[in-house]
C-alpha cells in the first residue's frame, strides 16, 4: 500500500512535467531578451567597426583570404566570405549581416531571420578567427541556439502581427515570397560551389553537413506552413510538440552553457597565483589598452583592499553561481552581482560588447514576473511619447485620437 501511494504521486509528477515541456514553450520572455539583446549588441559592434571592417574581416585583413581558406578547408567551418575574395562580395555580406541582425532584433519573420543572422555571424567570425574579445564566443554560440528557440512569441513584430491577424484571412504572402527567395539563394550558392570547385577544393557550403542543415531548415519551414493551413488537426499538434521540445531543449542548453562559462572561468582563476593572492585585477588596470578611464582605474588600483575584495569576490561569484540555481533568492542576488560585475568590466576595462553579451546571457535566469513588469514599463513609456493612441488591429483604426469601426472589408 505504501508502495502504491509513493509511486502514484511520482508518476503523476512525471506526467505533469512531460505535459509541460511538450505542451508549451517555456521562458518566452527570457528568449525574447536574448534575441533583442544579442542582436542589438552584434549590430552595434558591426556599426562601431564600420570604418575598420575591411581590416577586420575583409580584403585588407592581416589574416588573408588565402589563409582563411586554408583553415576553413581543414576545419570545415562555415563562412560565406570564402565564396569570393572580391571587395564587392565582402561589402554585400557585411551589409546583409547588419540588416538581418536588425530584423531579428525587431522580431520580423523571426524563424527566417534567426537562420540568416546565424549565417552572418558565422560568416564574419569564421573568416577572421583571431578577432574578438571573448564576447564573440557568446555571439557565436547563441546564434546557433536562437535558431531552435521560439524567441519571437513576445516583444516582436511577429507577435504583433499574430494578434492582429483575422481568422482565415491571412495567406501570408510575404512569408511565402521570403521562403522562395531563401530557397533560390541557397540553390544558387550550392550550384556556384559545385561548378567552381571540385570535391577536394571545396569551400564551405559545402560538404554535406551545412548544406543538409540549411536545406533541412528550409523544408521544415514549408512543412510548418502546410500543417498550419492544410492540416490544423493532429499533424499540427505533433509539429507543435516537436517545436516545444526543441525550444525547451535549446533553452536548457543555453542555461547550461552560461553556467559552464562561469564555472570554468571561476575554477581556472582559482588555479592562478595572482588570483590566489588577490592581486589579479591590479595588472589590467594599469594596461593602457584596457584603461579607457586611466584616472578611475588607477584610483581603484591604488587601494589594495579594493583590489583584494574585487578579485576574491569575482572568483567567489563565478564559482558559486551554478550551485545557487537551487535557491531562487540566492540566485537572484548573485545574478545581480554578476551583472554589476560585467557593467564594471565595460566601464573599467573598455569591453562594452563582451559585457553586454554576458549580461544578456545572464538574463535567461531572470524571473518572468520581473521581465513582464519591465516590459509593461517600457510599453507605458512608449505609449506616453506617442502623439496618438496605438492603432488597433481588431476593433478599428484610430483617426485623430478617435476609434473608427471597420467595415466587413476592413476599410474605415
Amino acid at each position: 500500500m505504501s508502495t502504491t501511494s509513493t509511486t502514484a504521486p511520482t508518476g503523476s509528477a512525471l506526467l505533469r512535467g512531460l505535459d509541460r515541456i511538450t505542451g508549451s514553450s517555456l521562458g518566452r520572455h527570457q528568449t525574447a531578451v536574448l534575441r533583442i539583446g544579442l542582436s542589438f549588441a552584434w549590430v552595434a559592434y558591426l556599426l562601431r567597426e564600420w570604418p575598420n571592417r575591411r581590416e577586420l574581416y575583409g580584403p585588407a585583413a592581416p589574416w588573408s583570404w588565402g589563409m582563411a581558406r586554408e583553415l576553413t578547408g581543414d576545419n570545415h567551418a562555415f563562412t560565406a566570405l570564402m565564396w569570393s575574395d572580391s571587395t564587392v562580395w565582402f561589402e554585400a555580406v557585411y551589409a546583409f549581416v547588419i540588416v538581418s541582425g536588425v530584423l531579428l532584433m525587431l522580431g520580423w519573420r523571426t524563424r527566417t531571420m534567426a537562420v540568416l543572422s546565424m549565417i552572418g555571424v558565422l560568416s564574419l567570425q569564421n573568416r577572421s578567427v583571431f578577432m574578438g574579445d571573448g564576447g564573440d564566443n557568446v555571439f557565436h554560440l547563441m546564434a546557433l541556439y536562437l535558431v531552435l528557440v521560439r524567441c519571437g512569441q513576445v516583444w516582436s513584430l511577429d507577435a504583433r502581427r499574430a494578434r492582429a491577424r483575422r481568422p482565415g484571412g491571412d495567406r501570408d504572402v510575404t512569408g511565402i515570397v521570403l521562403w522562395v527567395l531563401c530557397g533560390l539563394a541557397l540553390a544558387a550558392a550550392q550550384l556556384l560551389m559545385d561548378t567552381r570547385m571540385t570535391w577536394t577544393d571545396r569551400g564551405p557550403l559545402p560538404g554535406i553537413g551545412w548544406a543538409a542543415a540549411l536545406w533541412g531548415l528550409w523544408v521544415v519551414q514549408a512543412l510548418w506552413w502546410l500543417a498550419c493551413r492544410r492540416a490544423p488537426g493532429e499533424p499540427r499538434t505533433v509539429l507543435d510538440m516537436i517545436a516545444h521540445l526543441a525550444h525547451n531543449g535549446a533553452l536548457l542548453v543555453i542555461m547550461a552553457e552560461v553556467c559552464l562559462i562561469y564555472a570554468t572561468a571561476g575554477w581556472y582563476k582559482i588555479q592562478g597565483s595572482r588570483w590566489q593572492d588577490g592581486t589579479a585585477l591590479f595588472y589590467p588596470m594599469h594596461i593602457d589598452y584596457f584603461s579607457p578611464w586611466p584616472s578611475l582605474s588607477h584610483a581603484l588600483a591604488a587601494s589594495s583592499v579594493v583590489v583584494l575584495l574585487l578579485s576574491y569576490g569575482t572568483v567567489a561569484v563565478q564559482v558559486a553561481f551554478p550551485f545557487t540555481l537551487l535557491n531562487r533568492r540566492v540566485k537572484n542576488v548573485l545574478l545581480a552581482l554578476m551583472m554589476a560585475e560585467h557593467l564594471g568590466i565595460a566601464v573599467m576595462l573598455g569591453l562594452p560588447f563582451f559585457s553586454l553579451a554576458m549580461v544578456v546571457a545572464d538574463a535567461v535566469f531572470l524571473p518572468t514576473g520581473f521581465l513582464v513588469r519591465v516590459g509593461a514599463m517600457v510599453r507605458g513609456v512608449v505609449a506616453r511619447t506617442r502623439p496618438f493612441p496605438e492603432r488597433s488591429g481588431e476593433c478599428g483604426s484610430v483617426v485623430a485620437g478617435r476609434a473608427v469601426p471597420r467595415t466587413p472589408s476592413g476599410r474605415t
Side-chain angles (χ1 to χ4, degrees):
M1 181 140 182
S2 61
T3 304
T4 303
S5 61
T6 303
T7 305
T10 303
S12 178
L14 289 176
L15 289 176
R16 287 196 303 271
L18 182 62
D19 181 66
R20 188 178 182 190
I21 63 174
T22 59
S24 63
S25 295
L26 306 176
R28 298 184 304 158
H29 295 82
Q30 286 81 357
T31 53
V33 171
L34 282 177
R35 169 181 57 81
I36 297 170
L38 291 174
S39 299
F40 172 79
W42 176 240
V43 171
Y45 167 75
L46 295 180
L47 291 176
R48 189 195 72 170
E49 299 298 343
W50 180 269
N52 310 310
R53 63 192 184 281
R54 295 184 182 181
E55 288 75 19
L56 292 176
Y57 304 107
W63 186 255
S64 67
W65 190 86
M67 298 168 68
R69 180 175 176 76
E70 183 177 352
L71 179 61
T72 54
D74 291 337
N75 61 17
H76 304 290
F78 178 90
T79 169
L81 290 177
M82 291 296 98
W83 300 352
S84 174
D85 60 350
S86 72
T87 302
V88 174
W89 175 246
F90 165 74
E91 297 290 356
V93 171
Y94 200 91
F96 165 82
V97 176
I98 293 176
V99 172
S100 62
V102 171
L103 293 177
L104 179 61
M105 179 177 62
L106 297 176
W108 184 80
R109 306 291 170 176
T110 311
R111 290 190 182 96
T112 302
M113 289 305 134
V115 176
L116 297 181
S117 181
M118 175 197 70
I119 292 174
V121 171
L122 298 183
S123 294
L124 291 183
Q125 292 191 351
N126 290 335
R127 162 62 178 86
S128 297
V129 294
F130 297 108
M131 297 298 170
D133 54 10
D136 57 309
N137 293 326
V138 179
F139 291 129
H140 195 114
L141 292 171
M142 297 303 169
L144 297 171
Y145 300 147
L146 284 178
V147 174
L148 298 176
V149 298
R150 308 176 81 176
C151 55
Q153 292 189 329
V154 297
W155 300 337
S156 68
L157 295 178
D158 286 348
R160 181 179 181 181
R161 187 179 68 253
R163 290 193 301 268
R165 181 182 299 138
R166 292 173 295 178
D170 185 7
R171 287 191 165 188
D172 195 16
V173 177
T174 303
I176 296 173
V177 172
L178 187 61
W179 179 80
V180 172
L181 291 176
C182 289
L184 292 175
L186 186 56
Q190 192 162 16
L191 180 62
L192 178 64
M193 291 298 100
D194 289 339
T195 55
R196 291 184 58 184
M197 301 180 183
T198 64
W199 282 101
T200 58
D201 185 31
R202 186 162 300 227
L205 177 73
I208 299 180
W210 275 107
L214 295 176
W215 279 115
L217 292 170
W218 187 77
V219 171
V220 166
Q221 186 69 11
L223 293 176
W224 182 268
W225 186 90
L226 289 173
C228 291
R229 269 75 182 174
R230 306 296 182 185
E234 186 173 350
R236 171 64 188 272
T237 302
V238 173
L239 288 179
D240 268 334
M241 291 177 60
I242 295 174
H244 292 318
L245 282 172
H247 169 94
N248 294 328
L251 181 60
L252 179 62
V253 171
I254 291 172
M255 298 172 73
E257 190 74 49
V258 176
C259 290
L260 185 62
I261 289 173
Y262 283 116
T264 53
W267 286 106
Y268 271 112
K269 285 182 176 68
I270 288 177
Q271 301 175 44
S273 59
R274 295 293 176 265
W275 290 99
Q276 292 175 6
D277 59 28
T279 62
L281 293 182
F282 174 85
Y283 301 99
M285 290 183 181
H286 287 80
I287 299 176
D288 292 339
Y289 185 79
F290 293 108
S291 300
W293 312 99
S295 57
L296 180 59
S297 299
H298 294 167
L300 287 177
S303 173
S304 58
V305 176
V306 171
V307 173
L308 179 70
L309 292 177
L310 289 176
S311 299
Y312 283 172
T314 299
V315 175
V317 168
Q318 291 181 349
V319 172
F321 177 71
F323 301 100
T324 64
L325 298 181
L326 300 177
N327 188 299
R328 181 177 300 179
R329 293 183 178 179
V330 178
K331 180 261 296 181
N332 290 338
V333 172
L334 258 68
L335 196 59
L337 291 176
M338 287 193 303
M339 289 183 173
E341 172 192 337
H342 286 298
L343 292 177
I345 291 174
V347 175
M348 300 298 301
L349 300 182
L351 298 172
F353 298 107
F354 163 76
S355 300
L356 181 56
M358 289 307 304
V359 168
V360 173
D362 293 341
V364 74
F365 295 101
L366 288 174
T368 301
F370 171 77
L371 293 177
V372 170
R373 289 193 294 271
V374 171
M377 291 172 57
V378 172
R379 284 196 300 270
V381 172
V382 172
R384 286 193 294 270
T385 59
R386 288 181 177 175
F388 299 106
E390 184 177 358
R391 181 180 298 274
S392 171
E394 295 290 339
C395 301
S397 62
V398 175
V399 179
R402 179 169 58 88
V404 180
R406 291 185 182 274
T407 62
S409 63
R411 297 190 178 92
T412 56

